[in-house]
Amino acid sequence: MEETLKILVVDADEVDRIAVRSALTKAGVQMELSEVRDGNDAFSALSTTTYDCVFLSYHLLDQDALTLIQQLRSSEIKVPLVVLTAQGDEQIAVQLLLKAGATDYLSKSRISPETLTQVLRSAIRVYRAEMQAALANQQLRETHEQLIRKNQELERQQQHIQMQNFNLLEASQLKSDFLATISHELRTPMNAIIGFSQILLRPKFAQLTHQQADMIERILNNGKHLLMLLNEVLDFSKLEAGRLDLKAEIFDLSKVINLAVGEMRSLADAKNLSLLVQTDLQNTLIFNDPVRVKQILINLLSNAIKFTESGEIWVEVKELAENRVVIQVGDTGIGIAPKNFKRIFEAFRQVDQTITRKYPGTGLGLAIIDSLVRMMGGKIFLESKLGIGSMFKIELPRQITLSTVAGDALASPVDADGVFCSAKNHHQSSSQASKASIGYPKFKL
Ligand code: ADP
């Protein structure tokens, strides 16, 4: 052993103490050896100094080794202890001392340089290994307690988040219900305003001055506009609550397109915009919800007219492979920057979000279209360039399947194929647009 060991010998018998000392010296153990005669002296020596090993005679002057070991234990003094037993004491040593906490024992009759150094080394090794194990155990216990505490904290946080989630869902549900109720309630008086204005404008019904007719026409137009906004809010809240159903039937797509275009023509005329339609379908019949298809068209057309100051608006319908059709609505309007491609499909989002914005609207139109198209199992593509124009392409299956739940359509941006249904994939950038060759001669990006 390289290190100098501090060793304490506790024995009333001087001959025995000399035997231990000389055996250790002969064995060449580098040590600082202290000797005491009784248990009390041993206890005070061990209370003030740290020893590497104690050789302890079983019989002491004032007490036996067992009492001293228990005393050391209760004072939490830890040290490797080798009990030296007299002839015939081995049994007691094994039964009592090892159980009480001694590290090892050796019969005094067997003391020799070899046996003593062997016992000394193994006692120190065992003691150190025990200390390390105790330390590791302590660390494990602490880590375990920390983990339990963290787990409890996580559980608390999870409960808190669940609670907040629940509150949010409830608030969102309340908001949707409120929107649905209020827009529904407002529609009834609005229909009366529109209906009576129309009756008043009938020449047979009333003799109106030019000024009166003009005023009633304004009431009628504003009423219609307000009704359209209310319908958007109602649709949106229905989609959010998963309560909007598609009522599919077989109908003539070109007729619905002509109807929508017919309804929007006066608005285009008022802005001196040409409104062109090109239908290129071998079979014009499709299976879908005609009211919702028309709504999509009216919405796209009204945006195209709203955001175009000069030039033209066009609608083009074509067959696609795999029994699909594409409806394209294009304009030569202000265009949309690529960074806004995704945003404009989110509810209440507009490129110009200021209150003083030039173009009015709720910001719900495209969000509703996006959800409806997804419910129909279709996809929307956007191609646009600032200052040049925009084109919205709606790809639809000729025959829709009514499996999509309406609520999912708004809640998740993932379409039936699991494709992320946003600007990233479907609403193409303008650079992609030029490659996509949209094929209408009037529109060049
Ligand atoms: P709203 O038209 O009521 O504002 P939409 O959801 O229909 O709401 O459209 C969202 C936004 O997308 C619009 O505010 C506008 O900024 C942009 N947008 C939609 N269509 C066009 C278009 N044809 N040309 C330019 N910008 C458009």
Side-chain angles (χ1 to χ4, degrees):
M1 275 181 206
E2 301 285 303
E3 53 185 322
T4 302
L5 299 173
K6 281 180 90 69
I7 294 172
L8 179 67
V9 181
V10 186
D11 201 321
D13 191 328
E14 195 180 354
V15 179
D16 290 346
R17 290 203 304 273
I18 292 170
V20 172
R21 190 192 320 144
S22 58
L24 290 172
T25 313
K26 266 194 202 153
V29 175
Q30 273 192 37
M31 59 182 178
E32 276 176 31
L33 191 81
S34 311
E35 294 173 17
V36 290
R37 298 177 65 225
D38 59 36
N40 282 336
D41 289 347
F43 184 76
S44 42
L46 286 163
S47 309
T48 50
T49 312
T50 307
Y51 287 92
D52 293 301
C53 187
V54 178
F55 288 102
L56 176 63
S57 173
Y58 182 66
H59 295 288
L60 301 174
L61 272 184
D62 48 355
Q63 63 197 120
D64 63 14
L66 177 61
T67 318
L68 176 62
I69 292 172
Q70 282 167 345
Q71 218 179 335
L72 291 173
R73 259 195 154 189
S74 56
S75 307
E76 299 222 341
I77 297 172
K78 289 179 180 132
V79 65
L81 275 165
V82 178
V83 178
L84 300 173
T85 57
Q87 198 102 44
D89 285 344
E90 285 90 346
Q91 285 296 341
I92 311 168
V94 174
Q95 282 172 13
L96 297 177
L97 302 181
L98 293 184
K99 278 186 198 162
T103 319
D104 206 350
Y105 74 94
L106 179 69
S107 169
K108 285 185 180 179
S109 59
R110 290 184 56 227
I111 289 177
S112 70
E114 294 75 38
T115 52
L116 212 56
T117 44
Q118 207 182 352
V119 170
L120 172 70
R121 278 185 190 149
S122 92
I124 292 176
R125 211 173 30 243
V126 167
Y127 172 77
R128 285 182 183 168
E130 274 173 8
M131 286 302 107
Q132 270 176 0
L135 192 72
N137 244 346
Q138 173 70 17
Q139 281 170 347
L140 267 178
R141 258 200 307 279
E142 278 170 16
T143 317
H144 184 67
E145 278 162 16
Q146 259 179 9
L147 277 175
I148 290 176
R149 275 199 300 276
K150 280 201 176 135
N151 229 2
Q152 286 168 343
E153 179 60 24
L154 274 176
E155 265 170 30
R156 263 198 301 277
Q157 282 180 355
Q158 207 177 351
Q159 276 171 5
H160 187 63
I161 289 170
Q162 269 172 358
M163 199 64 199
Q164 278 185 333
N165 240 354
F166 180 74
N167 288 341
L168 276 174
L169 278 176
E170 213 181 14
S172 169
Q173 183 62 43
L174 277 174
K175 183 206 71 186
S176 296
D177 289 349
F178 172 74
L179 281 179
T181 315
I182 206 80
S183 43
H184 184 76
E185 288 300 313
L186 288 174
R187 260 160 42 122
T188 315
M190 199 46 67
N191 276 324
I193 291 169
I194 291 170
F196 286 124
S197 309
Q198 279 167 335
I199 293 172
L200 279 175
L201 283 172
R202 277 186 208 148
K204 275 190 224 154
F205 189 80
Q207 293 293 319
L208 300 172
T209 65
H210 183 71
Q211 201 182 14
Q212 285 168 333
D214 187 51
M215 284 194 303
I216 293 171
E217 229 158 75
R218 281 198 207 184
I219 293 173
L220 178 62
N221 287 338
N222 280 298
K224 278 183 180 168
H225 182 65
L226 216 52
L227 187 64
M228 194 198 78
L229 297 181
L230 285 172
N231 284 339
E232 272 191 354
V233 175
L234 187 62
D235 280 349
F236 177 73
S237 52
K238 273 191 192 164
L239 279 164
E240 244 195 349
R243 288 201 294 257
L244 192 139
D245 297 319
L246 294 177
K247 294 180 183 66
E249 59 185 78
I250 296 172
F251 66 93
D252 189 328
L253 179 60
S254 59
K255 274 192 191 157
V256 168
I257 288 171
N258 287 333
L259 266 176
V261 170
E263 276 181 33
M264 301 310 284
R265 192 166 291 285
S266 60
L267 284 180
D269 289 348
K271 287 180 89 176
N272 269 332
L273 301 170
S274 339
L275 180 48
L276 311 157
V277 187
Q278 186 173 313
T279 314
D280 192 7
L281 292 174
Q282 289 192 342
N283 174 8
T284 56
L285 295 181
I286 66 167
F287 179 77
N288 202 322
D289 183 333
V291 175
R292 295 298 172 185
V293 171
K294 187 173 157 217
Q295 179 184 355
I296 292 171
L297 273 158
I298 297 266
N299 245 313
L300 291 177
L301 281 169
S302 83
N303 273 352
I305 296 168
K306 182 163 65 176
F307 294 103
T308 304
E309 298 309 328
S310 64
E312 58 211 32
I313 316 292
W314 69 93
V315 182
E316 191 182 6
V317 194
K318 285 192 294 191
E319 311 253 4
L320 287 180
E322 292 163 11
N323 226 3
R324 286 174 308 133
V325 292
V326 59
I327 306 168
Q328 302 175 169
V329 177
D331 62 61
T332 53
I334 59 170
I336 302 156
K339 68 170 181 176
N340 292 317
F341 277 23
K342 187 180 170 191
R343 281 163 52 101
I344 56 167
F345 286 89
E346 292 167 13
F348 305 110
R349 286 277 190 194
Q350 293 165 318
V351 171
D352 182 0
Q353 295 268 71
T354 59
I355 307 174
T356 53
R357 66 176 175 269
K358 190 173 166 192
Y359 304 100
T362 55
L364 285 176
L366 288 179
I368 293 171
I369 291 177
D370 199 27
S371 307
L372 287 175
V373 170
R374 239 180 276 172
M375 283 175 76
M376 294 170 179
K379 286 174 183 172
I380 305 178
F381 296 84
L382 165 60
E383 301 171 7
S384 187
K385 206 165 188 180
L386 273 181
I388 305 277
S390 308
M391 185 166 75
F392 290 83
K393 289 210 280 185
I394 313 280
E395 281 188 18
L396 294 173
R398 189 176 277 281
Q399 185 168 350
I400 62 164
T401 41
L402 296 174
S403 54
T404 322
V405 183
D408 292 350
L410 260 186
S412 149
V414 178
D415 70 8
D417 313 328
V419 182
F420 185 61
C421 200
S422 70
K424 213 164 133 197
N425 285 324
H426 295 169
H427 314 146
Q428 293 180 340
S429 68
S430 50
S431 58
Q432 286 168 298
S434 44
K435 280 184 229 138
S437 106
I438 48 180
Y440 201 83
K442 309 270 176 189
F443 186 78
K444 284 191 185 59
L445 291 175

